[in-house]
Amino acid sequence: MDEQCALKTDLGGVKTPGFVVFEEALEHNLAILQTVMDRTGARILLAMKSFSMFHSFPLLSRTLKGTCASGPHEAMLGRECFPGEVHAFAAGFSEEDIRETAAVCDHLVFNSISQWRRFGKLAQEINPGLEFGLRCNPEHRETEVEIYDPCAAGSRLGIVRAEFTEEALAGISGLHFHTLCQKNSDALERTLAVFEDKFGQFLPQMSWVNFGGGHHITRKDYDVDRLVRLINGFKGRYPHLTVYLEPGEAVALNAGVLVASVLDITSNHGVANAILDTSATCHMPDVLEMPYRPEIIGAGEPGEKAHTYQLGGLSCLAGDILGRYSFDQPLEYGDRLIFLDMAIYSMVKTNTFNGVKLPSIYYARKDGAVELVRQFGYADFKGRLS
Ligand SMILES: Cc1ncc(COP(=O)(O)O)c(C=O)c1O
């Protein structure tokens, strides 16, 4: 969707590097998520860790029921800018985190029984209306990339069944699991079966269950009908439970691009390097962390088109490489490249290593207008240091 939007939008006024998020693409995703809610009664939240462009929250909050936060700051942003429920989970909360988070959220999910025992009472005093949940670890692996697999052996995320004790459940109204990453609904089907097998005995005393994120609901090949069947089947077995989903990626999948410019072309024993005014390590760190190869409009695999380049960032990191791509025409100083699917896990992860400039943020409205929402400068770099 972002490719179609980028091709029909005049991005000529975008100062590079710049993120551009498309209203039309967000609406496309929201319409799919709306049908899931309409057909199941499940409540879908935005996982802010993936996409926190609060400029778009008035649009997102017309469909989604609220936000899920990874700690106090996201929870505060959700409460301030996104009408709806605020849920929070972190692998660990300090007392200060609890004071800040409890004050602004509706659901607080603990990662361990010890955190619940340590802070449950304090959180309740701060916010008597707060509902508490525990994160379960079903120990069912669906995610191949180990650093994204919450069920990897020895994982610190969630309580495994062997450590789960019924006595701890007084005051707990919900269970949470998150095991998926970019998965279709078949992975949820298998996970849910294991979750129910291991933790189902506790469900009669709960009022909600949160199926976490990682559901790639808005991806073209995602089997929405199966998701609907799964949720409705689950609700048939536990009619008293409210089901929550908290996807991040699915909300802004293929909804934004990063526009970058070529700064230089250099050569090293037959390798043509194109240096860009962006950076893998500063602007799209998942390219190195996951790792993955971002798509670029008009570019092919190395050797597929006439001119192949190794695209790299402007930072000092030797490995600040985006990958090898080919183009029909030779790249030149000032050429612009459009990286796809950059709304999720890029904008939220940018950093100013090397003092590299942060990309500006633009919002492309459906009427074709491209609005500059935010630009950054020296003060933003200096403001994080002392
Ligand atoms: C607890 C929790 N919920 C939701 C999400 C959102 O996942 P995604 O953006 O893959 O849908 C994550 C991602 O790591 C998570 O850890």
Side-chain angles (χ1 to χ4, degrees):
M1 190 80 190
D2 49 354
E3 179 163 8
Q4 276 161 261
C5 292
L7 290 173
K8 69 179 182 198
T9 306
D10 179 4
L11 298 178
V14 170
K15 182 172 174 281
T16 67
F19 289 110
V20 185
V21 171
F22 299 101
E23 180 181 38
E24 185 182 347
L26 289 175
E27 283 190 349
H28 167 86
N29 290 346
L30 290 169
I32 297 170
L33 298 173
Q34 180 71 61
T35 63
V36 172
M37 289 191 284
D38 290 345
R39 294 171 66 192
T40 62
R43 297 176 73 77
I44 302 187
L45 311 169
L46 164 70
M48 291 175 63
K49 68 187 74 185
S50 165
F51 181 68
S52 287
M53 184 181 177
F54 50 90
H55 185 78
S56 70
F57 285 3
L59 170 69
L60 302 190
S61 63
R62 291 212 290 267
T63 301
L64 303 176
K65 304 299 183 194
T67 50
C68 95
S70 315
H73 289 172
E74 284 187 354
M76 288 174 195
L77 185 63
R79 178 55 77 219
E80 184 186 332
C81 299
F82 199 117
E85 301 177 32
V86 178
H87 295 214
F89 161 82
F93 288 103
S94 66
E95 184 180 326
E96 182 180 274
D97 293 342
I98 287 291
R99 290 184 183 280
E100 293 171 346
T101 310
V104 295
C105 66
D106 301 291
H107 284 201
L108 187 54
V109 176
F110 289 103
N111 187 47
S112 69
I113 291 170
S114 55
Q115 281 254 303
W116 158 231
R117 291 211 164 111
R118 187 180 310 278
F119 290 130
K121 192 160 166 287
L122 171 65
Q124 185 106 63
E125 280 162 17
I126 291 167
N127 180 355
L130 197 52
E131 294 191 29
F132 296 102
L134 291 177
R135 176 164 171 175
C136 306
N137 180 336
E139 297 177 84
H140 172 74
R141 302 190 65 169
E142 288 284 351
T143 299
E144 306 76 16
V145 181
E146 186 128 339
I147 66 161
Y148 293 113
D149 184 4
C151 294
S155 169
R156 74 194 198 294
L157 298 169
I159 308 160
V160 295
R161 181 64 186 83
E163 301 294 328
F164 207 85
T165 47
E166 187 139 25
E167 311 84 80
L169 294 181
I172 293 291
S173 54
L175 297 184
H176 177 291
F177 65 85
H178 168 79
T179 61
L180 307 179
C181 179
Q182 304 185 336
K183 290 296 171 198
N184 211 317
S185 44
D186 57 327
L188 176 63
E189 184 161 37
R190 292 186 290 271
T191 303
L192 199 54
V194 176
F195 169 73
E196 281 187 66
D197 185 41
K198 291 189 172 168
F199 297 94
Q201 73 183 93
F202 307 113
L203 292 177
Q205 49 187 303
M206 298 296 147
S207 50
W208 50 269
V209 170
N210 189 323
F211 291 1
H215 319 280
H216 245 192
I217 302 170
T218 53
R219 200 175 70 203
K220 266 205 184 83
D221 68 337
Y222 188 89
D223 188 343
V224 173
D225 288 339
R226 178 168 39 202
L227 174 68
V228 167
R229 261 197 328 274
L230 285 177
I231 299 174
N232 286 338
F234 184 83
K235 287 185 67 109
R237 293 188 292 285
Y238 310 98
H240 65 293
L241 292 178
T242 300
V243 172
Y244 287 94
L245 304 177
E246 48 181 37
E249 295 212 1
V251 176
L253 192 64
N254 298 317
V257 297
L258 177 64
V259 188
S261 296
V262 175
L263 296 179
D264 199 10
I265 308 288
T266 64
S267 157
N268 182 342
H269 294 286
V271 176
N273 281 296
I275 313 289
L276 309 181
D277 63 357
T278 185
S279 157
T281 191
C282 298
H283 298 162
M284 29 188 149
D286 277 356
V287 166
L288 303 180
E289 250 178 50
M290 188 138 191
Y292 81 102
R293 182 177 189 275
E295 294 285 317
I296 300 175
I297 294 181
E301 294 295 319
E304 184 185 335
K305 298 184 179 224
H307 306 276
T308 295
Y309 296 88
Q310 173 165 267
L311 302 183
L314 74 176
S315 84
C316 69
L317 179 72
D320 191 356
I321 305 286
L322 290 145
R324 292 187 182 200
Y325 297 81
S326 64
F327 299 86
D328 290 324
Q329 303 298 329
L331 290 182
E332 287 176 8
Y333 172 81
D335 282 351
R336 289 154 80 91
L337 300 180
I338 300 177
F339 290 85
L340 293 172
D341 201 16
M342 284 293 154
I344 47 175
Y345 290 109
S346 291
M347 206 189 290
V348 289
K349 284 194 166 189
T350 54
N351 64 75
T352 58
F353 176 54
N354 277 204
V356 167
K357 291 177 179 168
L358 293 167
S360 303
I361 299 175
Y362 294 82
Y363 192 60
R365 294 203 312 256
K366 266 190 313 188
D367 62 9
V370 179
E371 193 186 329
L372 173 62
V373 176
R374 183 88 199 261
Q375 58 187 329
F376 302 92
Y378 171 63
D380 297 286
F381 167 62
K382 187 180 174 199
R384 298 179 57 241
L385 302 168
S386 65

